[in-house]
Amino acid sequence: MPWTYGLSLLAVTILDYIVWRIVKDVIVCYECQAVHRAYPPNPAIEPFSLVIHDRHVFGAAPPGAEE
Ligand SMILES: [Zn+2]
């Protein structure tokens, strides 16, 4: 039923928030994808970058990426 779509979206948003409250942010290694949890927030660690990720995984920045 189409009219439930908005309600479902709200439910997913709330669920997402609850899950985030439990797991919090994680630090993932670009090299080996190791997941590090429960570390204190570190301002030196920047948000995930696809450019950095691709450079590690494919050896080059993604096509069209600005460097
Ligand atoms: Zn690693």
Side-chain angles (χ1 to χ4, degrees):
M1 295 187 209
W3 57 267
T4 62
Y5 178 73
L7 207 62
S8 303
L9 195 66
L10 182 67
V12 169
T13 302
I14 294 170
L15 183 69
D16 192 54
Y17 177 71
I18 293 170
V19 170
W20 177 79
R21 284 288 304 270
I22 296 168
V23 300
K24 293 296 173 67
D25 292 341
V26 297
I27 300 166
V28 181
C29 177
Y30 283 115
E31 279 298 329
C32 63
Q33 277 73 52
V35 177
H36 308 276
R37 293 179 197 276
Y39 282 87
N42 184 348
I45 297 175
E46 294 175 18
F48 176 80
S49 164
L50 189 63
V51 173
I52 296 172
H53 169 268
D54 279 18
R55 201 175 284 137
H56 280 283
V57 175
F58 302 112
E66 293 183 22
E67 300 212 54

